[in-house]
Amino acid sequence: MAENDDDDVPFMQKLLDNNFLLLFLGVASPGLLYILWGIIDIMNVPLAK
Amino acid sequence: MATTYRTCPSSGLQFENNAEKLMRWHAVAGVLWLLVGGITALLVILTRWPAIKLLPADEFYLILTAHGIDMIILWILHFEMAVLFFASSTLLRCRLATPKLAWLGFWLMVIGGIVCNVAIFQGGSSVMFTSYVPMQAAPHFYLGIILVAVGALIGTGIFFATLVVAKKDKTYQGSLPLVTFGAMTAAIIATFTILSGAAILIPTFFWSMGWIKEIDAQLYRMVWWGLGHSSQQINVAAHVSIWYLTAAVVFGAKPLSEKVSRFAFLLYILFLQLASAHHLLSDPGMSSEWKVLNTSYFMYFAVMASMIHGFTVPGAIEAAQRKKGYTNGLFEWLRKAPWGNPAFSGMFISLVGFGFLGGISGVVLGTEQINMLMHNTFYVPGHFHTTVVVGTTLAFMSITYILVPTLFRREMILPKLCQIQPYLYGISMSVLGLVMMGAGTLGVSRRHWDMAFSGAPFQYEWPGAAYLMMGLTGVFGVIAVVGGGLWILLVVGSLLFGKKLNGGKVSDKPTPIPLDTTAASATAHTDKDDHVAVPGTVVLALLLLVTFVLYYFVNWKYLSEVWLLS
C-alpha cells in the first residue's frame, strides 16, 4: 500500500520533496551556466602580443 | 543528546533549547553589526551630499568598505542564520542537528567579522565590498571574510541536517511547510554563494600573502560576483519566506496555491544566481552569448518567480481577509488590514518597495542594452538599496516585532514608536532609492566621493537636477538612518527593559502543534476548499505590470536619444 501511495505522487512533487536533489541542482545550474561557461569565455580571450 | 523544548504560550511555537540560544545570539550579533553599518551609512551619506562632503577621500573609501561589509555580509548573514534555525528546528518542532558545530559556525562568523573590520579600520584595506583585484587589501581582510563564509556554510549544513532529523523523527507530514521550503531555497543559494566566495577569496588571500603571483582581474570579477550578487539572492529567498510567514502569522493566510509558490522557489533555485552576470555586462572578457543568456533570458525565469511571489503573498492576505468578511469592493481587505501592527506594515512596505522599485530597476539593469545607460552609476546602489534594504532589511525588522515577544520573551517597549518605525524607515529608504536611481540616470558615478570632481583639469557640467537628487539622497538618507536607529533602540530597549513574558511550558520531547495558533498557521498547507477569488490583488499586479512596461520602454526611448545613430 505504501509503495502504491508513493507511485501516486506526481513527478514535480517528488522533485520538490527531494531536498538534496534540489541542493545539487541549485549548485550545478549556476556552476555550469555562470561559472564554468564564464571560465571558458575568459580562457578564450586571446593574449596580447 | 538531551535537550528541552519550550512552547511559547501565546504563539504555540516550540523552541528547542540549543536552537533558541543560537537564534538569539545570531540575532543580537546581527543587530550589533547593523548598528556599526548604520553609523558608517550616516558618514557615507554626509560625504556624498554635495553641500556637506564630510569626509576626505581616503576616509570615505574606508568607511564605504566597512558599510558594505557590515551591512551586506555581517548583519544580513547573522540574521539569516537565525532564520534558517527558526525555519528548520522551530517550525518543524525538532532538535537542531549538531549544536556544538553550530556554535563553532557562530563564533567563526563573529571572529571573522571582527578580523575583517580590524583590517578595514587599520586603513590598509579600503577596497570596498567588491575588493576588485589588482587592488590589494591586508591579508586579514580576506581571512576575515573567509572565516565568516566558513561559519555560514556550517550553519547552512546544519539547516539541511536538521531537515534530515525532522524527516527521520517524523515531526512533519507530507511536504515541508512553505516557509521552510523558502528557507531551504535560501540555504541552497547560500551554498553556491559561499562555494563561489571560497573559490575566489582563498586564492586572493594567498595572493595577498605573496604565495601566488597574480589573480586574473576578469576571472576575479566573474567568480566574485557569484558570491557578491548571489549573496543578495539568499536575501530574496529569505525575505520572501518571511513575507509568507508574516501573512500566515498576522492573518492566518494560506498560500493561494502551494504548487505555484513552490514552483516559483524552484525557479529561484535554478536561475536566480545567474543574475550575477548583470554586473559584467560591460566587461570585454565575457561573450555576448554568456551575458545575454544569463541575464536577459535565464534571469527572467527568476523575475517571473518574484512576480509570482509578489502576487501570491498579497493574494493570500486578500483571501484570508475576504474569508473574514472584508468583501466590499476591490480593496476593503487592504484598507481594513492592521496597518498599526508593525509586523504587517513593515512586511507590506517591504513587498511593495521590493516589487515596484527593486524588481523593476533590477530588470532594467539586467537588460544588456539599457544597462549601458546606468552601468556603474549611482543607479546601482539605488537599486540594491530598494532590494536589500527595503526588501530584506525591512522584512527582517518587521518579523522582529513578532520574534521579540516569542523568542526573547519580552514585550516591545514604546508601542507607538514601534508603529511609526516601519513607515519612517521604509518610506524614507524607498525615496532614497528612487533619488539615487534618479541621480544615476543623470550619470552620477557609483562610488566617487566627489561628484563635482573638484580640482580636476577637465570639469563636467552636471545638470542642476543631479545636484538636487544628491541633496535629496542626503536628506532621505539621514531620515532612513534615524528610522534604522529607532529600530535598534526599540529592539535593544525591549530586550533590556521590556516587560518579561511567560516563557511557557518546557518539555523533554517535542509536542504536537496546538490548533489555532501562530505555529499552526505558519506550517499549514493549502486545502482544496481554500480557494477565494482575489480581484484586488489582480488589479495591484496589473498596476505593477503597467508600471514595469512603461518604465522599461521609457529607458529604451532614453537609450535611443543618447545613442545617436545616423
mmCIF file of all heavy atoms in Angstrom, chain B residues 24 30 42 53 56 66 99 154 158 216 225 262 305 406 414 455 462 467 497 526 530:
data_model
loop_
_atom_site.group_PDB
_atom_site.id
_atom_site.type_symbol
_atom_site.label_atom_id
_atom_site.label_comp_id
_atom_site.label_asym_id
_atom_site.label_seq_id
_atom_site.Cartn_x
_atom_site.Cartn_y
_atom_site.Cartn_z
ATOM 1 N N ARG B 24 18.995 33.531 19.193
ATOM 2 C CA ARG B 24 19.160 34.789 19.937
ATOM 3 C C ARG B 24 20.528 35.411 19.705
ATOM 4 O O ARG B 24 20.644 36.606 19.436
ATOM 5 C CB ARG B 24 18.984 34.524 21.430
ATOM 6 C CG ARG B 24 17.582 34.245 21.860
ATOM 7 C CD ARG B 24 17.607 33.993 23.335
ATOM 8 N NE ARG B 24 16.308 33.684 23.883
ATOM 9 C CZ ARG B 24 16.101 33.458 25.166
ATOM 10 N NH1 ARG B 24 17.105 33.482 26.004
ATOM 11 N NH2 ARG B 24 14.906 33.187 25.599
ATOM 12 N N GLY B 30 23.760 40.183 14.715
ATOM 13 C CA GLY B 30 23.306 40.896 13.518
ATOM 14 C C GLY B 30 22.947 42.340 13.826
ATOM 15 O O GLY B 30 23.336 43.261 13.104
ATOM 16 N N LEU B 42 25.613 56.770 7.826
ATOM 17 C CA LEU B 42 25.448 58.209 8.035
ATOM 18 C C LEU B 42 26.668 58.971 7.502
ATOM 19 O O LEU B 42 26.527 60.012 6.839
ATOM 20 C CB LEU B 42 25.247 58.489 9.528
ATOM 21 C CG LEU B 42 24.916 59.922 9.902
ATOM 22 C CD1 LEU B 42 23.591 60.360 9.274
ATOM 23 C CD2 LEU B 42 24.849 60.098 11.411
ATOM 24 N N LYS B 53 29.810 67.112 2.136
ATOM 25 C CA LYS B 53 31.107 66.479 1.803
ATOM 26 C C LYS B 53 31.965 66.320 3.068
ATOM 27 O O LYS B 53 33.063 66.874 3.175
ATOM 28 C CB LYS B 53 31.822 67.310 0.752
ATOM 29 C CG LYS B 53 32.253 66.473 -0.439
ATOM 30 C CD LYS B 53 32.542 67.237 -1.683
ATOM 31 C CE LYS B 53 33.741 68.143 -1.621
ATOM 32 N NZ LYS B 53 34.060 68.740 -2.926
ATOM 33 N N PRO B 56 37.220 63.337 4.004
ATOM 34 C CA PRO B 56 38.162 63.350 2.874
ATOM 35 C C PRO B 56 38.111 62.013 2.147
ATOM 36 O O PRO B 56 37.592 61.019 2.687
ATOM 37 C CB PRO B 56 39.520 63.556 3.560
ATOM 38 C CG PRO B 56 39.334 63.067 4.947
ATOM 39 C CD PRO B 56 37.901 63.303 5.299
ATOM 40 N N ALA B 66 33.646 49.530 5.044
ATOM 41 C CA ALA B 66 33.060 48.997 6.281
ATOM 42 C C ALA B 66 31.540 48.909 6.153
ATOM 43 O O ALA B 66 30.931 47.910 6.556
ATOM 44 C CB ALA B 66 33.449 49.886 7.467
ATOM 45 N N PRO B 99 24.457 20.783 17.556
ATOM 46 C CA PRO B 99 24.516 22.165 18.089
ATOM 47 C C PRO B 99 25.936 22.664 18.364
ATOM 48 O O PRO B 99 26.204 23.863 18.213
ATOM 49 C CB PRO B 99 23.696 22.080 19.383
ATOM 50 C CG PRO B 99 23.538 20.642 19.687
ATOM 51 C CD PRO B 99 23.647 19.893 18.407
ATOM 52 N N ILE B 154 28.791 26.274 7.605
ATOM 53 C CA ILE B 154 28.473 25.305 8.669
ATOM 54 C C ILE B 154 26.997 25.454 9.077
ATOM 55 O O ILE B 154 26.264 24.463 9.186
ATOM 56 C CB ILE B 154 29.403 25.526 9.887
ATOM 57 C CG1 ILE B 154 30.827 25.095 9.533
ATOM 58 C CG2 ILE B 154 28.893 24.748 11.101
ATOM 59 C CD1 ILE B 154 31.860 25.432 10.608
ATOM 60 N N ILE B 158 24.032 22.685 8.780
ATOM 61 C CA ILE B 158 23.231 22.258 9.940
ATOM 62 C C ILE B 158 21.740 22.400 9.646
ATOM 63 O O ILE B 158 20.923 21.588 10.090
ATOM 64 C CB ILE B 158 23.660 23.048 11.185
ATOM 65 C CG1 ILE B 158 25.028 22.518 11.635
ATOM 66 C CG2 ILE B 158 22.650 22.939 12.310
ATOM 67 C CD1 ILE B 158 25.739 23.355 12.631
ATOM 68 N N ASP B 216 43.900 36.818 -11.966
ATOM 69 C CA ASP B 216 43.360 37.407 -13.195
ATOM 70 C C ASP B 216 42.164 38.289 -12.838
ATOM 71 O O ASP B 216 41.207 37.836 -12.184
ATOM 72 C CB ASP B 216 42.928 36.289 -14.147
ATOM 73 C CG ASP B 216 42.376 36.849 -15.443
ATOM 74 O OD1 ASP B 216 43.178 37.102 -16.352
ATOM 75 O OD2 ASP B 216 41.143 37.074 -15.527
ATOM 76 N N TRP B 225 31.448 37.824 -8.345
ATOM 77 C CA TRP B 225 30.021 38.177 -8.391
ATOM 78 C C TRP B 225 29.127 36.968 -8.157
ATOM 79 O O TRP B 225 27.949 37.107 -7.825
ATOM 80 C CB TRP B 225 29.663 38.905 -9.688
ATOM 81 C CG TRP B 225 30.005 40.372 -9.579
ATOM 82 C CD1 TRP B 225 30.961 41.050 -10.263
ATOM 83 C CD2 TRP B 225 29.404 41.327 -8.682
ATOM 84 N NE1 TRP B 225 30.998 42.367 -9.852
ATOM 85 C CE2 TRP B 225 30.049 42.562 -8.882
ATOM 86 C CE3 TRP B 225 28.395 41.260 -7.729
ATOM 87 C CZ2 TRP B 225 29.718 43.711 -8.170
ATOM 88 C CZ3 TRP B 225 28.062 42.400 -7.016
ATOM 89 C CH2 TRP B 225 28.715 43.611 -7.243
ATOM 90 N N ARG B 262 5.756 26.910 -4.638
ATOM 91 C CA ARG B 262 6.945 26.032 -4.609
ATOM 92 C C ARG B 262 7.652 26.043 -5.960
ATOM 93 O O ARG B 262 8.874 26.023 -6.041
ATOM 94 C CB ARG B 262 6.545 24.604 -4.251
ATOM 95 C CG ARG B 262 6.306 24.397 -2.793
ATOM 96 C CD ARG B 262 5.751 23.010 -2.507
ATOM 97 N NE ARG B 262 5.044 23.027 -1.251
ATOM 98 C CZ ARG B 262 5.636 22.825 -0.063
ATOM 99 N NH1 ARG B 262 6.899 22.526 -0.010
ATOM 100 N NH2 ARG B 262 4.936 22.896 1.040
ATOM 101 N N ALA B 305 9.479 34.324 -11.118
ATOM 102 C CA ALA B 305 9.254 33.745 -9.789
ATOM 103 C C ALA B 305 8.958 34.844 -8.775
ATOM 104 O O ALA B 305 8.048 34.714 -7.949
ATOM 105 C CB ALA B 305 10.473 32.933 -9.366
ATOM 106 N N THR B 406 8.135 36.362 21.269
ATOM 107 C CA THR B 406 8.087 34.889 21.273
ATOM 108 C C THR B 406 9.454 34.275 21.575
ATOM 109 O O THR B 406 9.551 33.356 22.378
ATOM 110 C CB THR B 406 7.587 34.361 19.921
ATOM 111 O OG1 THR B 406 8.389 34.916 18.884
ATOM 112 C CG2 THR B 406 6.135 34.684 19.696
ATOM 113 N N LEU B 414 7.562 51.049 24.120
ATOM 114 C CA LEU B 414 7.127 52.202 23.320
ATOM 115 C C LEU B 414 6.327 51.779 22.074
ATOM 116 O O LEU B 414 6.760 51.995 20.932
ATOM 117 C CB LEU B 414 8.361 53.021 22.886
ATOM 118 C CG LEU B 414 9.283 53.490 24.025
ATOM 119 C CD1 LEU B 414 10.582 54.064 23.482
ATOM 120 C CD2 LEU B 414 8.578 54.524 24.887
ATOM 121 N N GLY B 455 38.957 70.217 -8.638
ATOM 122 C CA GLY B 455 40.385 70.239 -8.914
ATOM 123 C C GLY B 455 40.783 69.467 -10.146
ATOM 124 O O GLY B 455 41.960 69.466 -10.539
ATOM 125 N N TRP B 462 27.339 69.319 -14.601
ATOM 126 C CA TRP B 462 26.173 68.497 -14.255
ATOM 127 C C TRP B 462 24.900 69.313 -14.399
ATOM 128 O O TRP B 462 24.900 70.511 -14.105
ATOM 129 C CB TRP B 462 26.263 68.022 -12.795
ATOM 130 C CG TRP B 462 27.326 67.023 -12.542
ATOM 131 C CD1 TRP B 462 28.520 67.230 -11.941
ATOM 132 C CD2 TRP B 462 27.293 65.633 -12.879
ATOM 133 N NE1 TRP B 462 29.240 66.060 -11.885
ATOM 134 C CE2 TRP B 462 28.495 65.061 -12.446
ATOM 135 C CE3 TRP B 462 26.357 64.806 -13.502
ATOM 136 C CZ2 TRP B 462 28.798 63.718 -12.618
ATOM 137 C CZ3 TRP B 462 26.649 63.471 -13.673
ATOM 138 C CH2 TRP B 462 27.858 62.941 -13.238
ATOM 139 N N TYR B 467 22.414 67.563 -8.864
ATOM 140 C CA TYR B 467 22.721 68.041 -7.510
ATOM 141 C C TYR B 467 21.489 67.955 -6.605
ATOM 142 O O TYR B 467 21.585 67.661 -5.416
ATOM 143 C CB TYR B 467 23.256 69.471 -7.564
ATOM 144 C CG TYR B 467 24.707 69.536 -7.974
ATOM 145 C CD1 TYR B 467 25.074 69.914 -9.253
ATOM 146 C CD2 TYR B 467 25.705 69.181 -7.065
ATOM 147 C CE1 TYR B 467 26.407 69.945 -9.632
ATOM 148 C CE2 TYR B 467 27.043 69.210 -7.432
ATOM 149 C CZ TYR B 467 27.389 69.585 -8.723
ATOM 150 O OH TYR B 467 28.711 69.609 -9.082
ATOM 151 N N PHE B 497 14.735 46.320 28.803
ATOM 152 C CA PHE B 497 13.757 46.908 29.731
ATOM 153 C C PHE B 497 12.313 46.467 29.468
ATOM 154 O O PHE B 497 11.410 46.875 30.199
ATOM 155 C CB PHE B 497 13.825 48.446 29.652
ATOM 156 C CG PHE B 497 15.221 48.992 29.823
ATOM 157 C CD1 PHE B 497 15.887 49.619 28.766
ATOM 158 C CD2 PHE B 497 15.884 48.843 31.035
ATOM 159 C CE1 PHE B 497 17.173 50.108 28.919
ATOM 160 C CE2 PHE B 497 17.172 49.338 31.186
ATOM 161 C CZ PHE B 497 17.826 49.966 30.125
ATOM 162 N N THR B 526 -2.119 24.411 2.078
ATOM 163 C CA THR B 526 -3.335 24.881 1.425
ATOM 164 C C THR B 526 -4.272 23.702 1.159
ATOM 165 O O THR B 526 -3.834 22.667 0.675
ATOM 166 C CB THR B 526 -2.981 25.557 0.081
ATOM 167 O OG1 THR B 526 -1.934 26.496 0.312
ATOM 168 C CG2 THR B 526 -4.178 26.266 -0.505
ATOM 169 N N ASP B 530 -9.802 26.027 0.058
ATOM 170 C CA ASP B 530 -9.312 27.345 0.480
ATOM 171 C C ASP B 530 -9.433 28.408 -0.607
ATOM 172 O O ASP B 530 -9.166 29.570 -0.372
ATOM 173 C CB ASP B 530 -7.827 27.252 0.895
ATOM 174 C CG ASP B 530 -7.676 26.685 2.295
ATOM 175 O OD1 ASP B 530 -8.634 26.821 3.068
ATOM 176 O OD2 ASP B 530 -6.630 26.084 2.581
#
